[in-house]
Amino acid sequence: MAMSVGLEPKELKAALEGVMPWLTPTGLASEALEKLDRPLLAWMQDSELHMFDSAAHYAAYADEPGGLSRLEREIAKLPPRPEWAMERVWSPDEETDEAYDAAYEKACVTIGGRRLHPRDLDAYTAIAYELADLADQDEEFDPNDVESKDELVRGDLDAGVAWAAAGVCVLQQSLPYPFRDVLPYGNIDNRPAHRLVYAYANLLQLKHPRKAAAWFTAMVYFSPMDNMGARFLAPGGPSGSLPVGI
């Protein structure tokens, strides 16, 4: 007699719908985790004050031309979910003071030949885009000048994806898996996570559209307000064009 252990394939697929895929760290990501002093702190906020009601959120858009997309209708069925907040490590800029800059530099390590704070998610995003060097990062970019995705990439796409993946693996250390709750973009400290996951999905789609689809979908699930515009690239979204599946 055959013995079944765990969920059946269909049940497992349903259970993981909308969940960020788990990235197994390899190469650069493994190096980043080896240098990680500790995960970023992340916590569920007070459930009496911070529960995200997807149905109420989408109700405000139901009467718009075209109505809700298939993806949005699915998310609208979800019960209210807890909101989370994350610790943020700021990349030094003109607004950070000398004391902060010194503390940041002291915490920096070398990963893949680059010096960065291992918990600075924005640093992984910046390096990923720098290495991929996408044409649409320029202010004067004209999409009509690009005939194929290959022309969009001017740098090393594989290196860019690897850096974004390393950042995602760092992020994974902080959130429970599977993460089914909400990470509000309105909380400014959560935004590096949004930018990082979008960067990974955005670069990945240039290599593997099917693999990227699950990441864009997950972004809409964990942030239905979707300030990054992931819904427009997710299957079943308002203009989703990526194929479903991995």
Side-chain angles (χ1 to χ4, degrees), residues 19-39:
V19 170
M20 277 193 292
W22 180 263
L23 273 186
T24 300
T26 60
L28 187 70
S30 294
E31 182 181 351
L33 294 188
E34 289 174 1
K35 302 291 181 65
L36 186 66
D37 52 341
R38 65 167 175 79

Side-chain angles (χ1 to χ4, degrees), residues 14 33 41 54 76-77 81 96 105 125 155 160-161 163 167 183 196 205 213 234:
L33 294 188
L41 301 178
S54 295
K77 297 176 184 177
R81 293 174 291 158
T96 55
E105 177 59 32
T125 300
V161 171
W163 271 97
L183 195 67
L196 174 64
Q205 70 162 320

Side-chain angles (χ1 to χ4, degrees), residues 140-159:
E140 64 273 13
F141 173 73
D142 184 349
N144 295 320
D145 294 337
V146 178
E147 296 182 0
S148 70
K149 288 185 176 180
D150 291 337
E151 295 180 7
L152 184 63
V153 181
R154 301 177 301 195
D156 187 337
L157 181 59
D158 288 336

Side-chain angles (χ1 to χ4, degrees), residues 25-59:
T26 60
L28 187 70
S30 294
E31 182 181 351
L33 294 188
E34 289 174 1
K35 302 291 181 65
L36 186 66
D37 52 341
R38 65 167 175 79
L40 287 158
L41 301 178
W43 59 95
M44 185 187 298
Q45 300 191 75
D46 187 339
S47 59
E48 293 186 5
L49 301 174
H50 298 280
M51 294 290 287
F52 189 89
D53 190 332
S54 295
H57 168 70
Y58 284 120

Side-chain angles (χ1 to χ4, degrees), residues 116-210:
L116 70 151
H117 192 303
R119 286 182 276 120
D120 182 357
L121 300 184
D122 275 331
Y124 294 94
T125 300
I127 294 172
Y129 276 128
E130 174 195 335
L131 293 174
D133 190 19
L134 303 185
D136 62 3
Q137 292 177 284
D138 296 338
E139 293 183 1
E140 64 273 13
F141 173 73
D142 184 349
N144 295 320
D145 294 337
V146 178
E147 296 182 0
S148 70
K149 288 185 176 180
D150 291 337
E151 295 180 7
L152 184 63
V153 181
R154 301 177 301 195
D156 187 337
L157 181 59
D158 288 336
V161 171
W163 271 97
V168 170
C169 286
V170 170
L171 173 63
Q172 285 179 165
Q173 310 310 305
S174 300
L175 297 175
Y177 181 83
F179 184 70
R180 303 181 184 281
D181 299 331
V182 176
L183 195 67
Y185 186 88
N187 183 328
I188 192 171
D189 290 338
N190 290 341
R191 294 181 185 180
H194 288 251
R195 289 191 283 263
L196 174 64
V197 176
Y198 186 88
Y200 178 69
N202 189 32
L203 296 177
L204 185 64
Q205 70 162 320
L206 298 173
K207 290 174 57 66
H208 304 293
R210 289 185 179 275

Side-chain angles (χ1 to χ4, degrees), residues 88 148 216:
R88 177 180 183 179
S148 70
F216 286 120

